Amino acid sequence: MTDEIINLTAFDGAALDRAFATLEHQARTAAASLSTEADVEAFRLQWLGRKQGRLNDVSSRWLKSAPPEAKKALGLRFNALKVVVEGLLDSATGAGPTDAALAAEAIDITLPGTRRLTGAEHPITKTLNELSGIFAALGYSIGVGPEVETDFYNFESMNFPPGHPARDTQDTLVVANQERRPLRDRLLLRTHTSPVQMRTMESQPPPVRIVIPGKVHRNDAQDATHSPIFHQVEGLCVDKNITFSDLKGTLDHAMKALFGSSVKTRFFPSFFPFTEPSADVQISCIFCGGKGCRKCKHSGWIELLGCGMVDPAVFAFAAEKQPGYDPKKISGFAFGMGVERIAMMKYGISEIGSLYAGDMRFLGQFA
Ligand code: DAH
């Protein structure tokens, strides 16, 4: 059976039939006596092996020496034989693996599985998304703007004129070597998300309802509750006849959606250059329900965000590009809040640094 493949001398149809019939017979006989896996593997190597297999020999001896007119007939028979041999091998293999082989491959279902860590939103992202979602449900869209901002958008257009003392409360890093540029074009790391109010108004006429989540930078020393880089969510609503009541109703709803329906809000006069009047919003303490505790410094209230009616001076800057922002025809409100502070309250985090340390023992708790 291991006979070497002899050279073919005749290439007519009958001679080819005979030669291939002999080979097929040999293959069938050999396949009939296969019993072990080793037998099957030996059969595979002997007939189909890439280097020394018999079919390989047939191909190199017969096909290559055949006269051109016989090549097609020979090739057809060769392919048919190959199909037969492969079929024989398949049925020998299909006879099934031995018990030992089965046992070696068996799965032990009592072994513990591979535990994959589930990804989870970072508490800051989670809070940003939650806030965006609350306002999206009120018909607000989401906006973004650059973190490296010009003096004009960050300060001047928000009604902090050059030299205005309110600028001192928002010191930040400035990009170096810009002395030759006019002040309004100089670049700095934005100190709040408010400049995106102006970018939004310049790019679309009223009405506007937009929330702007984003990262901001300030020259603030790090302590348990402050970080020089943090996040804000800004809001802007401009339309005909927008009133302070709309502002109160919107923020009261947002705080209830965020902290639970029993939370109350109250508004205190405050100052921001870009709103008039301006207010600070306090919510009833979510830790003690308003009775007074250490967290609310025994006042029952926690200050959470700034807001106000958009100052006409801000609309005047917007109207340079979009005349629709005429303060005689439209009005609006704006608000801004710190995301870390809200996340820390919601999730009971006492150190702002935990939010940035990347410690898996901390982050894993949000999975
Ligand atoms: N931009 C203010 C800040 O960073 C927050 C703020 C207050 C935003 C009042 C507003 C607003 O839009 O109306 O301190």
Side-chain angles (χ1 to χ4, degrees):
M1 190 199 77
T2 52
D3 301 344
E4 188 190 341
I5 302 294
I6 49 152
N7 288 333
L8 263 197
T9 45
F11 290 91
D12 58 285
L16 291 177
D17 280 343
R18 250 180 283 117
F20 277 98
T22 308
L23 284 176
E24 183 175 332
H25 177 69
Q26 289 173 347
R28 287 187 185 283
T29 315
S33 60
L34 303 176
S35 56
T36 66
E37 266 184 72
D39 290 345
V40 174
E41 177 59 9
F43 175 84
R44 189 187 67 77
L45 278 175
Q46 187 181 22
W47 285 89
L48 299 170
R50 271 175 191 269
K51 292 209 173 115
Q52 285 114 26
R54 304 195 87 205
L55 288 186
N56 190 56
D57 273 0
V58 169
S59 156
S60 56
R61 285 171 183 253
W62 296 0
L63 265 176
K64 283 185 190 141
S65 61
E69 65 278 9
K71 279 203 198 293
K72 185 172 176 198
L74 206 154
L76 285 174
R77 286 167 177 78
F78 177 83
N79 286 340
L81 175 65
K82 192 166 177 208
V83 169
V84 169
V85 174
E86 284 170 347
L88 289 169
L89 186 67
D90 278 352
S91 32
T93 317
T98 60
D99 286 351
L102 270 184
E105 276 181 22
I107 297 166
D108 180 352
I109 58 165
T110 64
L111 285 173
T114 318
R115 200 179 282 270
R116 290 187 196 284
L117 293 177
T118 336
E121 277 177 340
H122 188 279
I124 293 179
T125 312
K126 210 164 159 150
T127 309
L128 278 173
N129 288 345
E130 200 176 335
L131 276 164
S132 307
I134 291 169
F135 286 98
L138 294 175
Y140 283 65
S141 45
I142 313 288
V144 288
E147 271 173 53
V148 180
E149 191 49 284
T150 61
D151 185 278
F152 174 75
Y153 284 112
N154 194 80
F155 289 126
E156 199 177 337
S157 74
M158 287 291 111
N159 202 27
F160 299 68
H164 193 284
R167 287 185 173 224
D168 296 349
T169 63
Q170 300 197 7
D171 187 21
T172 184
L173 288 171
V174 299
V175 175
N177 303 323
Q178 305 182 90
E179 290 73 16
R180 273 180 303 153
R181 290 188 173 184
L183 177 66
R184 55 174 281 144
D185 295 336
R186 293 188 199 162
L187 298 170
L188 42 81
L189 300 189
R190 71 176 177 195
T191 58
H192 51 177
T193 40
S194 304
V196 192
Q197 288 188 27
M198 188 55 59
R199 289 185 175 274
T200 307
M201 288 191 278
E202 283 186 351
S203 68
Q204 64 182 89
V208 166
R209 280 170 180 74
I210 194 161
V211 275
I212 303 137
K215 193 183 282 176
V216 302
H217 306 252
R218 290 206 191 161
N219 182 11
D220 281 348
Q222 174 120 21
D223 65 18
T225 56
H226 292 84
S227 158
I229 303 176
F230 61 104
H231 298 78
Q232 290 186 332
V233 169
E234 187 84 15
L236 175 68
C237 168
V238 183
D239 205 338
K240 289 188 184 122
N241 302 319
I242 298 291
T243 67
F244 201 89
S245 305
D246 296 318
L247 168 59
K248 285 185 82 172
T250 303
L251 291 181
D252 187 68
H253 165 79
M255 292 302 114
K256 286 182 161 63
L258 196 58
F259 291 108
S261 55
S262 58
V263 159
K264 296 192 192 62
T265 54
R266 63 180 191 178
F267 290 67
F268 273 79
S270 184
F271 172 78
F272 299 103
F274 38 91
T275 45
E276 182 59 36
S278 304
D280 283 329
V281 184
Q282 300 182 346
I283 63 166
S284 53
C285 180
I286 59 164
F287 302 105
C288 64
K291 287 199 233 25
C293 66
R294 220 161 51 90
K295 292 265 172 56
C296 60
K297 301 199 186 87
H298 303 282
S299 72
W301 295 90
I302 292 179
E303 195 170 305
L304 211 55
L305 67 151
C307 64
M309 302 305 290
V310 177
D311 195 297
V314 172
F315 281 141
F317 280 109
E320 287 175 19
K321 296 235 167 97
Q322 292 280 356
Y325 291 96
D326 176 351
K328 287 197 223 44
K329 298 198 179 117
I330 47 95
S331 55
F333 64 75
F335 55 87
M337 57 191 104
V339 178
E340 277 78 351
R341 192 163 149 70
I342 293 174
M344 288 168 76
M345 282 178 60
K346 267 188 87 89
Y347 301 114
I349 301 163
S350 53
E351 288 280 333
I352 200 170
S354 312
L355 292 167
Y356 313 120
D359 187 332
M360 289 300 286
R361 291 168 302 178
F362 171 78
L363 296 173
Q365 298 177 71
F366 297 90

